[in-house]
Amino acid sequence: MANGIWANGILAQAKLCGAKFGERRSREHALNAVTNHYKCKDGRWIILSLLNEERQWPAFARCIGREDFITDARFATKPDRPCTSLELIGILDEIFATKDLAEWRKILDGNGLVFGVIGILDDIPNDQQMLENEVLVPFENDTMLTVNSPIWIDGSQKIQPRHPPGIGEHSDEILRQAGYDEAAIRQLRASGAVA
């Protein structure tokens, strides 16, 4: 929670200082069609973030199979696109609906285009970024993954996560440390007081 509020600190602090925020426009009425999200054929969503439009627009137009957009007076320059944003959003909605997310990722990757994917929980087990950054790690002596602690201490080695103990797995050890001898432990087990 603390990380989340820190990451959104500018807006959070503005609210704490009494700022008023307007309602966000719907994606269909966004002011910029190339910083918007679009639904793919398989129902997954992609987010465009083409902030360097002058450089990225031609590559984007080629990737989506609309090279005509490079010279189309409605969309050719950065100042033109906000004026025709609603029209462009409608066209891009139709284009993105023709292919699954995986296909769009292959088409857009490696072309200097900035985009993201609206993740779903099914993405987590195979998320390359989370795996490579050890956000997800396997349990000790297992291939099952778990969420790693986000805390790293310089010069200290993290302990690999372990499965929790089974019920009663360490009862004898704990009772011995508490001063019970073997006879007392057997008596406690026989009475059902200890698992």
Side-chain angles (χ1 to χ4, degrees), residues 13-174:
Q13 189 61 52
K15 186 63 182 174
L16 292 170
C17 293
K20 303 286 185 235
F21 295 94
E23 215 173 289
R24 184 183 170 135
R25 289 173 173 255
S26 69
R27 60 160 298 283
E28 294 83 7
H29 295 93
L31 296 175
N32 189 339
V34 296
T35 58
N36 202 359
H37 46 287
Y38 296 92
K39 191 174 186 179
C40 302
K41 182 179 179 181
D42 57 1
R44 298 293 306 272
W45 289 81
I46 196 164
I47 307 168
L48 293 180
S49 187
L50 307 184
L51 299 178
N52 188 349
E53 292 182 49
E54 298 301 337
R55 184 178 60 79
Q56 295 171 318
W57 180 250
F60 177 67
R62 282 190 288 279
C63 285
I64 63 172
R66 292 300 304 261
E67 289 188 34
D68 59 303
F69 281 1
I70 298 170
T71 56
D72 187 319
R74 298 171 298 166
F75 313 125
T77 69
K78 183 177 179 178
D80 297 327
R81 287 187 286 276
C83 300
T84 57
S85 182
L86 300 183
E87 183 180 1
L88 184 54
I89 289 168
I91 294 168
L92 294 178
D93 276 341
E94 291 177 11
I95 291 171
F96 279 102
T98 64
K99 295 177 178 26
D100 290 342
L101 174 63
E103 294 175 81
W104 281 119
R105 287 181 89 161
K106 286 179 188 172
I107 291 167
L108 299 174
D109 268 343
N111 285 291
L113 303 173
V114 180
F115 68 95
V117 172
I118 295 179
I120 58 174
L121 292 174
D122 287 344
D123 294 338
I124 292 173
N126 300 307
D127 186 288
Q128 278 310 116
Q129 186 175 5
M130 283 199 259
L131 293 168
E132 289 176 15
N133 288 289
E134 296 182 2
V135 173
L136 303 176
V137 293
F139 282 103
E140 184 177 63
N141 302 318
D142 199 345
T143 58
M144 181 181 184
L145 295 173
T146 188
V147 178
N148 198 1
S149 163
I151 299 169
W152 298 82
I153 299 173
D154 212 16
S156 295
Q157 188 77 320
K158 275 193 171 185
I159 295 173
Q160 190 172 11
R162 298 180 298 266
H163 285 284
I167 295 174
E169 184 177 338
H170 300 122
S171 295
D172 290 359
E173 180 184 337
I174 293 167

